[in-house]
Amino acid sequence: KGRTEIDDEFLEELEQILISADVGVQTTLDIVDKITERAKNERYASEEDLNNMLIDEIQKMLSDARDAHVVDFDAPLPSTPYVILIVGVNGVGKTTSIGKMAYNYKTAGKKVLIAAADTFRAAATEQLEIWAERAGVPIVGQRQGADPASVVFDSVSSAVSRDMDVVLVDTAGRLHNKIHLMEELSKIMRVAQKKVPDAPHEVLLVLDASTGQNAINQAKEFMKSVKVTGLILTKLDGTAKGGVVIGISRELNIPVKYIGVGEKIEDLQIFDRQKFIEALLK
Amino acid sequence: MFESLSDKLEHALKKLSGQAKINEINIGMAMRDIKRALLDADVNYKVTKNFVEQVRKQALGEEVIKSVSPAQMIVKIVHDELVKAMGGEQKDINLKTSRMPAVIMVAGLQGSGKTTFTAKLANLLKKKGRAPLLIAADVYRPAAIEQLKTLGAQIGVPVFSIEEKDALKAAKQGIEFAKQNSKNVAIVDTAGRLQIDEEMMAEAERLKRELSPEEILFVVDSMIGQEAVNTAKVFNDRLDFDGVVLTKMDGDTRGGAALSIKTVVDKPIKFLSQGEKVDDLDIFYPERMAQRILGM
Ligand SMILES: Nc1nc2c(ncn2[C@@H]2O[C@H](COP(=O)(O)OP(=O)(O)OP(=O)(O)O)[C@@H](O)[C@H]2O)c(=O)[nH]1
Ligand SMILES: Nc1nc2c(ncn2[C@@H]2O[C@H](COP(=O)(O)OP(=O)(O)OP(=O)(O)O)[C@@H](O)[C@H]2O)c(=O)[nH]1
Ligand SMILES: [K+]
Ligand SMILES: [Mg+2]
Ligand SMILES: [Mg+2]
């Protein structure tokens, strides 16, 4: 028993919800197709059944960060110093996320060092110094205008000699269509490898949840110069839902690792697919 | 990079080349493509719906039906409607006041580009012969004051700040400082805030009430998605701002937010911020924006 067809009203409402959550037209259409098909094959009895199918289908599109890397801050690291490079376009929340991550790793008993490789933006190092102080971890930096790759080299060297567990590398915000700035990232990677051959162990791309479909371009372009291993989705404490990560996760197979939910040091959470989807559909 | 809308429509309407006229059905197909193009450009869902309805009505009018190249005709309608929706005449910022100094306040979400913009604007006004002062009224973000000071030093514009974490006090004392030092325009940089943060929105309202700025500018990241509408609406309800600044236009975003925001709050877009350097500031042309949104 049960129904096999979904009425147009439901599908239209679903479309509106998904598009309004920045899921994007293509992914929205694909979700609508999936749910229509599933209803046909499996039948459903109530709207609740339908909703559960929906959550399940979207969940399948979101890759799981735990498949590739350690997620929990207190989990043992595969090697040390474990170098994490943080990248993204301007103003998305890279520096703030580093402060929060440093605090989390530190609280979990790890020795953390922050590399201030944004030598470009006005007062970037001063901002990061405040975060390092709040988290209670050391920071390595140089004067404004210095070569960011050289800061990374210093930092990684220092981390090796001081027996650090984690190095968090802050980089300047850069729009993904600026070729020379993207090349700078590749250089940073190469330089880090001089000291720690398998560095960086992770490259996290920070995305602002209020960003629309341009986030897909961001992910694609950053992927070309550095192998992005995960996403940090920030500013989810706002009204934006960040639905664009579904398409990114599906198309490029990059999982969301952490979310930012505020401007305080405790406002970083491990990404929870179920919770995210529930908020998205609300 | 994007298949342009006119190509798409050409394609959708190809099927009717055998037919003499456009009818409801193939217009419907063309409208679906237009809707898709706008949504891909991050134009708000509801704004898109209304916009497409407008275009549909026009497209069914006599002219298009008779035209030899209906696709181009429809693209022209879309384009013209977009320009109309975003346009009106170009409006400058209002500094025509006898007050010393004229006060400009900027507000917006976190990381949208406010601080950078204040420096760019100060630079522009200075070049036009004004004597600007930058006031640091973001007392929350780590090193916000340092950032503004660094930018101020780059353009040779003084920056006023106080030790105390009180945005209103900083702004008021800054304006007093401007008066005493013959600065004729004071630009107030405020902290980033979410439109649902009641405490912070109340602070912004208080700043407006106490400073009575000649000009309040809402700074928004051009990469913003569907929430552009809500965000702009709430900021406008609370501050009744005078104009919009679209930032990070040097990226490859289609910038549909421009249409969404203009539609819901009907305030002019006054500046485009197009880079990280202090000179990267431009005025807004509805025509160019329309083409960008359409991916033409
Ligand atoms: N509400 C909210 N604000 C955030 C969050 N993360 C960062 N921010 C704010 O966003 C703004 C930009 O954050 P930054 O950490 O400086 O961003 P960034 O990516 O390092 O910026 P650039 O280095 O200039 O490219 C600041 O005002 C932060 O306080 C978040 O999760 N929620
Ligand atoms: N590429 C580009 N970057 C920009 C532009 N405007 C600002 N930025 C960058 O965006 C980031 C955030 O700019 P800010 O001026 O600090 O933004 P804000 O709104 O003051 O941020 P908060 O005070 O934290 O809310 C910085 O890295 C700026 O250099 C622009 O037009 N183009
Ligand atoms: K949210
Ligand atoms: Mg930063
Ligand atoms: Mg600022």
Side-chain angles (χ1 to χ4, degrees), chain B residues 115 138 147 189:
Chain B
T115 305
D138 175 357
Q147 183 189 3
D189 182 31

Side-chain angles (χ1 to χ4, degrees), chain B residues 48-120:
Chain B
T48 298
K49 262 195 150 168
N50 293 334
F51 184 86
V52 169
E53 200 37 51
Q54 280 304 110
V55 173
R56 181 201 306 275
K57 278 189 196 142
Q58 287 205 38
L60 282 169
E62 278 300 294
E63 254 183 305
V64 177
I65 293 186
K66 285 196 215 127
S67 127
V68 278
S69 52
Q72 274 166 31
M73 196 77 190
I74 291 176
V75 170
K76 188 175 175 336
I77 293 174
V78 175
H79 175 266
D80 292 352
E81 280 295 308
L82 268 179
V83 173
K84 207 167 84 193
M86 281 182 302
E89 62 205 285
Q90 182 60 43
K91 287 197 189 70
D92 212 347
I93 45 170
N94 168 33
L95 295 175
K96 291 186 199 73
T97 175
S98 52
R99 193 156 73 119
M100 277 280 281
V103 177
I104 302 172
M105 169 179 160
V106 302
L109 295 176
Q110 286 94 344
S112 52
K114 296 174 295 298
T115 305
T116 308
F117 170 72
T118 59
K120 289 181 180 186

Side-chain angles (χ1 to χ4, degrees), chain A residues 90 121-122, chain B residues 106 111-123 134 141 147-148 151 155 189 219 247-248 273-281:
Chain A
N90 308 80
R121 216 213 52 214
Chain B
V106 302
S112 52
K114 296 174 295 298
T115 305
T116 308
F117 170 72
T118 59
K120 289 181 180 186
L121 183 60
N123 189 42
L134 285 163
R141 173 181 161 149
Q147 183 189 3
L148 196 60
L151 293 168
I155 54 173
D189 182 31
V219 179
T247 64
K248 307 178 198 172
S273 185
Q274 325 231 50
E276 295 191 78
K277 293 194 298 296
V278 288
D279 293 317
D280 299 331
L281 192 63

